[in-house]
Amino acid sequence: VIELQNVGIAVRGRTIVEQGTATLPSATVTHLAGVNGSGKTTLIRAIAGIQRYSGSIRFDTADVARVRSQLYVCFDDAPVFPYLSGYENVRLLLGRGLSRAAIASVAPALADDRMLRMRARQLSHGQRKRVHLVAALASGARYLILDEALNGVDAPTAAQVADALVRRSPSATVLITGHHDDTYGALSTRRIELVGGSLIDRGRLDDRAVTATATGLVDEVSA
Amino acid sequence: VSAPAAPSPGVLRQVPVELRLLWRGFVLPVCLIICALLAVGNVANTANSVRADYALVQHTRAEYAANGMNFAADLGKPAKVTTSGNEQSVTNLARYDYDTMANAVIAISPASSVTESLKYFGFLLYPLVFFLVGLWLATGQRRYRLEKVTLVRVGTVRTVAARQLTLLVVAAIVTATILVVDAVSRAVATSTLAAQLPLSAFSPLSPQPTQNSFAQWGVIVLVVLFFGGAGIAVGAFTGVFAVPAIVFLIWDYVVPFLGAHDPRNWFDVLGHAVYSYASTFELSPPIPLGVPIALAAALAGAVVLLALGYLGIRIRNPLAT
């Protein structure tokens, strides 16, 4: 569970979030929705502990400093070190050694061996994003935060991510942001909206609709 | 629901990550290549100095013979050097030239490798090298927008601590490389010179100055911590590499000492206190300052700079990431 209580964020005098309260239950995928510039990424930074905020953000009652090894944030800009291969970047992002086989086996359809062997400077933005998604899935993190995770990735990759998240969600608390309600709604079991600095918890989405839509998305693209 | 008892990734686990980035970012290989080339150059320069000093001894010996003077007898008397303005006068040229040659022979010997390397690199090159390494450590990940990933995974305090520890590891690697290259170069140079010149005929007549190895290494570590810490702190505050690097380069090599409390003067004072500069490389004469004051100032400066690294990353975080 990730709990946000009375969270306030201001950047250079501008209020981004005001007294925001929300609960992200475990074993769920929560979609954080909001228009451009509404502060989704800033809120994610606060949750990840790299943005100053007031109020309280707890990970199963613990502070972020105690759960760093169980937290993985997939940032929107998908930063990579250009002189390392995809494999080496996954290790860099996770900060630990992981065999090629272990990395490749996480999601072979998401990033194949050929792509992961390439130097990161040769990768497109979408491919870099896939490297981050592989790292996210390989991390085994208990708390997964994916900022605009599907922006810049093609439809088959989006389907693979959807599939992987559906499989991963029973053992993790997942927060995902994005603009396309159809796609992200299909992945999510809960929805929170950030509107005018207010966090609005829309609660649980219909279970059957979610499963059906997610499965449909995977099936449709796979076909 | 109980809190997961998962420890944050430790500082020691982050050090190999930082080292890998330094290596794959070509910073460490370039440092090692430049230092190795300069080590070879330093030995070559010292070898040339031995040849020049030997030629001078032979010249003086010939002049003694031409003037009917006893060269061997003068070697038993001390040489006295007096300075008047910019001019130096020597009372006993035979002994003076012999001592210069004997010092050069000692300096080129493999046994002098550590001392000669440290006193050359420690003050001439280390301030620049470790300032740049520190600066790159503080800004390299930011350049590729990876800093935020590290901060989430490791936290700010441990990120800076890992970088400071990495700096010491890099110092150890660079110093070890220099010492190995230097020792091999000296062995080659000594055997080459011994085949051409009677080096064994120039055993020192004067007692050699006592060397305190502990103090010598201590000052070098202080140089690394001070200038490397400065690089990390400046990088944490500015977030950029090029401008601080150029400013430091100009300050270190072009601008004369700005006063007794110019940090370069502190280390100049300490260098002259722990090393004997009687061979090829001469450290510039310092502006007079007490050794305890210079030591205290350098230590306090290093502590402040190391602490500023933590402050800088907190102030810049997250805007620069």
Side-chain angles (χ1 to χ4, degrees), chain B residues 43-102:
Chain B
V43 173
N45 199 25
T46 309
N48 288 336
S49 164
V50 171
R51 287 196 183 92
D53 289 341
Y54 179 72
L56 207 58
V57 171
Q58 292 301 87
H59 176 75
T60 304
R61 200 190 297 267
E63 285 213 331
Y64 263 66
N67 291 314
M69 295 165 70
N70 188 342
F71 186 88
D74 268 8
L75 285 184
K77 302 172 196 165
K80 192 176 177 187
V81 181
T82 50
T83 306
S84 173
N86 289 331
E87 290 192 3
Q88 272 192 339
S89 58
V90 180
T91 54
N92 181 352
L93 210 53
R95 177 64 181 267
Y96 180 81
D97 287 347
Y98 181 95
D99 282 349
T100 305
M101 174 64 186

Side-chain angles (χ1 to χ4, degrees), chain A residues 72 74 78 90 93 106-107 110 126-139 144 146 148-150 153 157-158 161 164-165 176:
Chain A
Y72 186 86
C74 187
V90 170
L93 294 169
V106 170
L110 197 60
Q127 287 174 315
R128 291 177 183 203
K129 204 115 192 178
R130 284 155 68 176
V131 168
H132 269 260
L133 289 166
V134 168
L137 297 172
S139 68
L144 268 181
L146 311 174
E148 308 278 3
L150 304 182
V153 299
T157 304
V161 174
L165 284 180
I176 187 164

Side-chain angles (χ1 to χ4, degrees), chain A residues 90-199:
Chain A
V90 170
R91 294 185 195 113
L92 172 68
L93 294 169
L94 298 178
R96 60 188 154 95
L98 215 56
S99 71
R100 285 188 172 197
I103 295 169
S105 66
V106 170
L110 197 60
D112 60 21
D113 181 65
R114 193 186 66 82
M115 195 200 92
L116 288 169
R117 282 175 185 271
M118 286 165 66
R119 287 280 175 94
R121 62 182 169 185
Q122 298 171 289
L123 300 176
S124 69
H125 180 71
Q127 287 174 315
R128 291 177 183 203
K129 204 115 192 178
R130 284 155 68 176
V131 168
H132 269 260
L133 289 166
V134 168
L137 297 172
S139 68
R142 189 167 168 178
Y143 309 101
L144 268 181
I145 300 176
L146 311 174
D147 188 15
E148 308 278 3
L150 304 182
N151 281 11
V153 299
D154 50 39
T157 304
Q160 291 295 332
V161 174
D163 187 32
L165 284 180
V166 166
R167 281 188 280 113
R168 184 81 182 80
S169 59
S171 58
T173 304
V174 183
L175 175 64
I176 187 164
T177 73
H179 295 289
H180 304 294
D181 285 355
D182 290 349
T183 308
Y184 291 102
L187 294 173
S188 314
T189 45
R190 292 183 71 86
R191 179 180 169 92
I192 294 173
E193 286 178 22
L194 188 53
V195 182
S198 298
L199 264 182

Side-chain angles (χ1 to χ4, degrees), chain B residues 3 71 84 150 237 242 259 303:
Chain B
F71 186 88
S84 173
T150 303
F237 276 103
V303 170

